[in-house]
């Protein structure tokens, strides 16, 4: 017999986003309206090429955060920040952004039905990200200054007016973003030995470390990873030990001269026995192309900073090859790929030879493809 078809929402999808999945570890209650686009649950992809590069006893995995609903890891934090803003009956949120935060804030604000104000550094954000903030109807203002200038303006505005700040200074952003470390541990069945990631405003390294420490305290894992963070050489305040007035890099997402979570990033580095180093734009571009050409994974330049860092450390002999007989166990390295390559297609086109034009006939095409 045929079942009657009722016009109900589909119930088949069990996955309900990071808040429902990790509710017990997050500051939400039955009173919190959950605003979600089913973010998280991103794949942990084994990298043949990078595992081979590091050598025997190493496995390298790529946490592909570009597959979140708006194309970056920011969605994990935004589902929390916007849900909490709604719980507090906020009417408007604001952020400064190198692009991804604004894309995510704009999309989640639409879901929540609240106003979203975005300040971006003029001319310095990737086109994909700008198009997202605009199409989701955020009020976007291009500030004649850099990200750090935009962030201080937004901080001042949100302190004085009833507008919620949704940059990672908002503690709920960090709470949501820490779910990525839970996913990695749940997937591997343990904590990785090393985690490599880009560092910009330093909220994400703060969030991951918080997540790992919480899972450790809850006895879900028995060890903690070394946190290896990478800044772009032209925007490396933490490495150089002072704010950078005019930060520069092709990785516009991490073009940040005075990170808001500076101290927490240093804490993650020091407590984990890791490091924060820098990579040049050339190294970033190389890693960017390697990921696309060897592993089939397209990321934005800022995300490639993690793989550039991995390759830099590997070249220096940082990853020691222990003979199987001494400790035996394979060591796992996870690289966080924070944003999708389609965010910044201009950069892809600039990094590679343009397509060759051929005559529109079979002979000419066959000749080019070698048949
Ligand atoms: C792809 O969107 O700061 O160290 O305003 O978009 O937590 O800042 C973006 C940062 C890495 C650095 N990768 O993370 C913004 C913004 C990508 C990013 C980072 C960003 P944080």
């Amino acid at each position: 017999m045929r079942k009657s078809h009722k016009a109900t929402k589909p119930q088949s999808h069990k996955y309900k986003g990071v808040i429902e999945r990790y509710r017990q570890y997050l500051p939400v209650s039955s009173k919190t309206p959950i605003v979600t686009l089913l973010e998280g649950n991103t794949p942990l992809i084994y990298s043949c090429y990078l595992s081979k590069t590091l050598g025997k006893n190493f496995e390298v995995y790529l946490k592909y955060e570009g597959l979140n609903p708006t194309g970056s890891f920011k969605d994990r934090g935004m589902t929390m920040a916007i849900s909490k803003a709604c719980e507090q009956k906020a009417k408007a949120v604001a952020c400064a952004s190198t692009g991804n935060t604004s894309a995510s804030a704009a999309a989640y604000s639409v879901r929540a039905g609240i106003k979203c104000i975005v300040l971006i550094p003029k001319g310095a954000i990737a086109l994909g990200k700008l198009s997202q903030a605009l199409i989701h109807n955020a009020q976007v203002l291009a500030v004649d200054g850099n990200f750090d200038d935009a962030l201080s303006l937004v901080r001042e505005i949100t302190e004085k007016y009833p507008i919620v700040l949704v940059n990672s200074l908002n503690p709920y952003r960090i709470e949501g973003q820490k779910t990525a470390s839970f996913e990695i541990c749940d997937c591997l069945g343990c904590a990785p030995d090393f985690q490599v990631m880009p560092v910009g405003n330093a909220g994400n390294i703060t969030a991951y470390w918080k997540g790992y420490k919480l899972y450790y305290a809850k006895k879900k894992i028995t060890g903690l990873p070394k946190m290896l963070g990478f800044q772009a050489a032209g925007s490396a305040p933490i490495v150089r030990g002072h704010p950078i007035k005019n930060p520069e890099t092709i990785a516009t997402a991490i073009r940040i001269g005075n990170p808001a979570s500076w101290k927490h990033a240093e804490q993650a580095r020091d407590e984990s026995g890791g490091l924060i180093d820098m990579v040049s734009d050339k190294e970033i571009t190389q890693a960017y192309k390697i990921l696309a050409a060897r592993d089939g994974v397209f990321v934005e330049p800022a995300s490639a900073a993690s793989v550039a860092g991995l390759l830099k450390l590997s070249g220096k002999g940082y990853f020691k090859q222990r003979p199987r007989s001494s400790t035996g166990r394979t060591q796992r390295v996870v690289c966080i790929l924070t944003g999708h390559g389609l965010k910044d297609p201009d950069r892809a086109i600039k990094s590679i030879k343009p397509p060759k034009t051929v005559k529109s006939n079979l002979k000419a095409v066959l000749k080019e493809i070698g048949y």
Side-chain angles (χ1 to χ4, degrees):
M1 231 174 50
R2 278 184 66 190
K3 285 185 192 162
S4 67
H5 291 281
K6 280 190 191 160
T8 52
K9 288 182 192 169
Q11 297 292 313
S12 56
H13 299 291
K14 292 245 167 61
Y15 185 73
K16 296 195 175 114
V18 296
I19 296 182
E20 290 304 348
R21 180 159 180 199
Y22 293 110
R23 182 175 267 273
Q24 59 183 308
Y25 303 116
L26 296 169
V28 288
S29 72
S30 55
K31 292 192 188 69
T32 317
I34 307 301
V35 182
T36 180
L37 284 164
L38 308 186
E39 60 296 311
N41 201 20
T42 57
L44 193 62
I45 304 170
Y46 177 74
S47 168
C48 291
Y49 177 78
L50 296 172
S51 300
K52 256 192 208 141
T53 304
L54 259 62
K56 234 174 45 190
N57 295 352
F58 283 91
E59 285 174 2
V60 180
Y61 294 87
L62 308 168
K63 180 70 170 161
Y64 197 13
E65 289 287 277
L67 294 189
N68 274 295
T70 76
S72 87
F73 71 97
K74 304 285 182 182
D75 296 340
R76 295 179 183 276
M78 211 51 78
T79 183
M80 272 299 300
I82 300 292
S83 296
K84 292 304 276 190
C86 287
E87 185 179 339
Q88 292 151 14
K89 310 271 184 266
K91 298 273 178 289
V93 299
C95 65
S97 183
T98 57
N100 281 325
T101 298
S102 64
S104 186
Y108 282 79
S109 295
V110 165
R111 299 284 295 186
I114 57 178
K115 183 179 165 75
C116 178
I117 302 155
V118 165
L119 268 59
I120 52 164
K122 190 178 164 199
I125 83 167
L127 206 60
K129 305 174 189 181
L130 179 59
S131 67
Q132 289 178 286
L134 293 171
I135 203 77
H136 292 307
N137 283 335
Q139 183 171 9
V140 181
L141 300 174
V143 175
D144 205 359
N146 59 32
F147 169 82
D148 305 288
D149 301 325
L151 183 59
S152 13
L153 283 167
V154 168
R155 286 177 82 157
E156 207 177 323
I157 293 164
T158 53
E159 272 162 26
K160 287 192 184 143
Y161 299 93
I163 304 172
V164 174
L165 177 74
V166 293
N167 279 101
S168 56
L169 286 158
N170 178 328
Y172 298 121
R173 280 276 314 278
I174 304 292
E175 292 296 320
Q177 281 173 215
K178 76 182 189 217
T179 58
S181 50
F182 302 160
E183 284 180 17
I184 291 171
C185 298
D186 290 346
C187 186
L188 293 176
C190 60
D193 298 278
F194 302 92
Q195 174 170 309
V196 197
M197 65 192 302
V199 175
N201 215 22
N204 212 23
I205 189 169
T206 304
Y208 270 98
W209 186 236
K210 187 167 191 194
Y212 283 123
K213 284 200 296 187
L214 181 60
Y215 246 31
Y216 186 77
K218 300 280 179 194
K219 302 203 161 38
K220 299 278 285 183
I221 49 176
T222 55
L224 289 162
K226 289 194 185 337
M227 303 293 283
L228 313 174
F230 285 88
Q231 300 195 293
S235 309
I238 300 176
V239 182
R240 298 190 194 274
H242 57 81
I244 306 294
K245 248 206 146 82
N246 297 306
E248 271 311 332
T249 169
I250 57 153
T252 52
I254 52 171
R255 191 166 170 262
I256 294 174
N258 192 11
S261 300
W262 189 320
K263 289 282 159 292
H264 289 122
E266 289 182 336
Q267 198 184 335
R269 175 194 67 193
D270 298 340
E271 287 179 5
S272 74
L275 55 83
I276 296 179
D277 196 354
M278 59 189 176
V279 282
S280 67
D281 280 1
K282 198 174 156 200
E283 289 169 311
I284 290 174
T285 306
Q286 271 166 359
Y288 174 68
K289 290 180 171 179
I290 284 173
L291 271 173
R294 302 272 186 167
D295 274 321
V297 177
F298 187 26
V299 301
E300 64 169 285
S303 309
S306 61
V307 173
L310 177 89
L311 294 173
K312 179 176 175 179
L313 291 181
S314 170
K316 283 183 173 173
Y318 178 86
F319 299 102
K320 296 274 182 312
Q321 306 295 324
R322 291 195 211 133
R324 278 205 184 277
S325 52
S326 72
T327 66
R329 202 174 64 74
T330 299
Q331 300 197 65
R332 298 189 178 88
V333 185
V334 174
C335 291
I336 312 301
L337 304 181
T338 46
H340 202 286
L342 290 172
K343 292 272 189 178
D344 192 359
D346 290 347
R347 181 51 55 189
I349 302 290
K350 277 184 199 148
S351 321
I352 223 87
K353 270 198 249 159
K356 190 168 176 180
T357 304
V358 290
K359 287 226 168 68
S360 175
N361 67 56
L362 193 60
K363 203 175 149 205
V365 174
L366 286 175
K367 189 177 169 228
E368 284 303 329
I369 62 176
Y371 285 91

